[in-house]
């Protein structure tokens, strides 16, 4: 089963002509072959154009809604006029009673006033352009300090060849014969409740009121081409992988002349050789020697803010973890820092020189015979390692 035209444009089945036109412009900007990285962009772009062509033509849309997508496509494929009168309702459903109410135009004129006549809606504010997303990788040090990061992003830009108009400056223009230059067309439908008059954007000129003899060859009439922008973003200290930064008005331009969309930057913090991150906390493995674990020692522990001294207690076991308070990552939305957890790993030497072997043998003999060992004996072992 082919994809429904409403789904292609991402609109509801009761969407107005203006909503369909806006959805078409947004989708066309997203999947234009000169702008999109999608390998299927050209095929999707054709579907979008076809969906817009049918749904902005009142007669074709009525037939499409009545027949369903597959039957409509079949009818069109075999040359049948799907937008014709087949299955339609002709004549006055009230048998001429429409003009007998209060000397006016009856129910038909009432519906004209409600749906198509006088006043209408005020001009809506132009929608902003589509938001874009990009990825940005930073180091753990940059996440710790915060950083001003420069990067480039591909995005739709106004076509320089036609200044975003979609046609060359030399193109000849003429008033659209469909709408007589108004940019809107009014259609009248016969319903069980009378005549309904509806005004919508002209499908031929897409609401512009003007037709041009040429289409811009660079942007294919869309007014936008793929461009590359160099931007700078402030990355706050403490940011984590998976969090998103927003740069306002750095996304796609608006097809209606409104403000640009936003650029969403998905941040990834690269893995580090020395530290593992868990939220605002850091973890570090600290290798120490057997004598340091046995007798205790003062060692240097690396942090993201420089090395600090740490006293390894006597009798420390391999795998034991110690907490250095406030030596972790800065808290993004709070005060202070997380903690640094130091896991001690006692390293067994692969080979021993003669001095180390003698020291360990003496230590083993002393421990085995439970004889008193003086401080100089411990210093000898520590020096050996």
């Amino acid at each position: 089963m082919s994809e429904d035209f409403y789904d292609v444009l991402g609109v509801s089945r009761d969407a107005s002509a203006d909503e369909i036109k806006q959805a078409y412009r947004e989708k066309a900007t997203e999947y234009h072959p000169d702008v999109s990285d999608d390998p299927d962009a050209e095929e999707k772009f054709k579907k979008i154009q076809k969906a817009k062509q049918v749904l902005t033509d009142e007669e074709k849309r009525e037939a499409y809604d009545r027949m369903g997508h597959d039957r409509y496509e079949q009818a069109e494929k075999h040359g049948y006029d799907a937008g014709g009168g087949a299955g339609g309702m002709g004549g006055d459903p009230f048998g001429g009673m429409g003009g007998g109410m209060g000397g006016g135009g009856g129910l038909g004129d009432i519906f004209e006033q409600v749906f198509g006549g006088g006043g209408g809606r005020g001009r809506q504010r132009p929608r902003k352009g589509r938001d874009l997303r990009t990825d940005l990788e930073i180091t753990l040090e940059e996440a710790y300090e915060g950083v001003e990061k420069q990067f480039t992003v591909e995005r739709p830009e106004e076509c320089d060849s036609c200044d975003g108009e979609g046609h060359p400056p030399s193109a000849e223009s003429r008033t659209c014969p469909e709408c007589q230059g108004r940019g809107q067309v009014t259609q009248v439908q016969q319903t069980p409740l009378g005549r309904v008059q509806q005004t919508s954007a002209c499908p031929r000129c897409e609401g512009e009121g003007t037709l041009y003899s040429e289409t811009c060859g660079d942007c294919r009439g869309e007014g936008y081409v793929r461009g590359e922008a160099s931007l700078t973003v402030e990355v706050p200290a403490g940011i984590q992988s998976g969090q998103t930064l927003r740069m306002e008005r750095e996304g796609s331009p608006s097809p209606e002349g409104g403000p640009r969309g936003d650029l969403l930057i998905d941040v990834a913090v690269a893995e580090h050789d020395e530290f593992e991150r868990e939220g605002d906390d850091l973890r570090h493995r600290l290798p120490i020697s057997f004598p340091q674990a046995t007798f205790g020692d003062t060692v240097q522990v690396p942090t993201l803010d420089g090395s600090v001294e740490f006293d390894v207690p006597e009798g420390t076991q391999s795998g034991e973890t110690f907490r250095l308070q406030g030596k972790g990552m800065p808290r993004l939305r709070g005060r202070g820092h997380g903690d640094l957890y130091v896991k001690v790993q006692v390293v067994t030497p692969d080979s021993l020189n003669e001095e180390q072997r003698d020291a360990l043998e003496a230590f083993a003999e002393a421990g085995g015979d439970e004889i008193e060992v003086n401080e100089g004996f411990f210093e000898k072992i520590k020096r050996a390692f």
Side-chain angles (χ1 to χ4, degrees):
M1 183 175 181
S2 302
E3 190 174 4
D4 184 272
F5 287 155
Y6 291 99
D7 293 337
V8 168
L9 295 178
V11 297
S12 63
R13 304 194 76 82
D14 59 354
S16 67
D18 286 341
E19 290 173 330
I20 290 172
K21 180 181 176 182
Q22 171 63 20
Y24 164 74
R25 286 178 169 174
E26 291 178 356
K27 292 285 186 180
T29 301
E30 181 178 359
Y31 291 110
H32 193 287
D34 287 341
V35 175
S36 177
D37 291 326
D38 192 322
D40 300 323
E42 188 167 356
E43 186 63 30
K44 291 179 179 178
F45 188 67
K46 290 178 181 177
K47 288 183 180 179
I48 292 164
Q49 287 183 311
K50 178 65 179 296
K52 175 250 182 188
Q53 178 188 4
V54 172
L55 298 185
T56 54
D57 185 303
E58 193 68 30
E59 197 170 308
K60 290 182 179 179
R61 182 178 179 181
E62 189 275 332
Y64 181 81
D65 290 343
R66 184 178 68 248
M67 301 170 69
H69 182 85
D70 290 339
R71 286 181 61 202
Y72 182 91
E73 292 275 73
Q74 254 336 83
E76 193 176 56
K77 181 179 178 182
H78 290 88
Y80 174 69
D81 183 8
M89 296 181 64
D92 184 355
F94 292 98
M97 294 175 58
M101 299 183 65
L107 286 176
D109 288 337
I110 292 175
F111 271 81
E112 285 180 11
Q113 294 175 19
V114 174
F115 290 98
R121 295 183 181 178
R123 189 171 184 82
Q124 292 185 348
R125 186 178 179 181
R127 298 183 186 181
K128 76 171 189 176
R130 184 172 56 88
D131 291 344
L132 299 178
R133 300 193 85 97
T134 190
D135 298 321
L136 179 67
E137 184 176 79
I138 62 174
T139 65
L140 188 61
E141 287 83 359
E142 289 172 331
Y144 182 84
E145 296 286 348
V147 66
E148 186 179 85
K149 202 76 172 175
Q150 293 184 337
F151 64 102
T152 59
V153 61
E154 287 190 347
R155 64 184 183 185
E157 298 286 359
E158 187 177 271
C159 177
D160 290 334
S161 300
C162 65
D163 294 327
E165 296 295 328
H167 56 81
S170 59
E172 296 180 1
S173 63
R174 62 187 177 95
T175 300
C176 175
E178 185 89 7
C179 64
Q180 305 301 317
R182 294 188 300 270
Q184 294 181 322
V185 292
T186 301
Q187 297 173 331
V188 179
Q189 267 190 309
Q190 198 72 33
T191 75
L193 298 179
R195 287 192 308 147
V196 175
Q197 179 174 299
Q198 187 173 18
T199 301
S200 59
C202 176
R204 185 166 181 180
C205 65
E206 298 183 357
E208 299 297 328
T210 306
L211 298 176
Y212 295 92
S213 60
E214 297 179 64
T215 297
C216 177
D218 290 339
C219 66
R220 301 185 185 182
E222 292 301 318
Y224 304 104
V225 294
R226 179 184 297 177
E228 190 173 84
S230 296
L231 302 173
T232 302
V233 63
E234 293 282 348
V235 181
I239 196 166
Q240 299 185 36
S241 286
Q243 293 183 315
T244 301
L245 301 174
R246 179 184 292 270
M247 295 185 71
E248 295 185 348
R249 306 295 184 259
E250 295 293 353
S252 293
S254 168
E256 297 181 351
R260 279 183 173 271
D262 299 336
L263 177 64
L264 306 178
I265 305 170
D266 297 325
V267 177
V269 181
E271 293 185 0
H272 198 277
D273 293 337
E274 295 285 339
F275 305 101
E276 293 180 11
R277 184 175 183 179
E278 294 179 358
D280 296 326
D281 296 329
L282 295 174
R283 292 189 175 274
H284 173 69
R285 290 180 178 273
L286 179 67
I288 61 173
S289 67
F290 170 70
Q292 286 176 314
T294 303
F295 308 126
D297 197 5
T298 300
V299 297
Q300 294 290 320
V301 176
T303 76
L304 289 174
D305 194 30
S307 297
V308 297
E309 288 189 347
F310 171 66
D311 292 327
V312 179
E314 292 184 10
T316 295
Q317 302 299 307
S318 187
E320 198 167 345
T321 300
F322 301 91
R323 184 178 71 153
L324 301 187
Q325 192 170 0
K327 294 300 180 181
M329 297 295 293
R331 295 189 174 94
L332 182 61
R333 294 183 178 85
R335 296 180 179 179
H337 291 64
D339 300 327
L340 172 62
Y341 290 88
V342 180
K343 186 174 184 179
V344 171
Q345 182 176 2
V346 179
V347 178
T348 303
D350 293 332
S351 59
L352 299 173
N353 58 35
E354 187 175 347
E355 183 183 7
Q356 291 171 332
R357 185 177 295 277
D358 291 343
L360 282 179
E361 287 177 351
F363 177 76
E365 291 175 1
D369 295 338
E370 297 184 354
I371 62 174
E372 185 177 343
V373 182
N374 60 34
E375 187 174 342
F377 177 74
F378 289 129
E379 289 299 324
K380 179 179 178 182
I381 294 179
K382 290 168 71 175
R383 282 196 308 269
F385 288 87

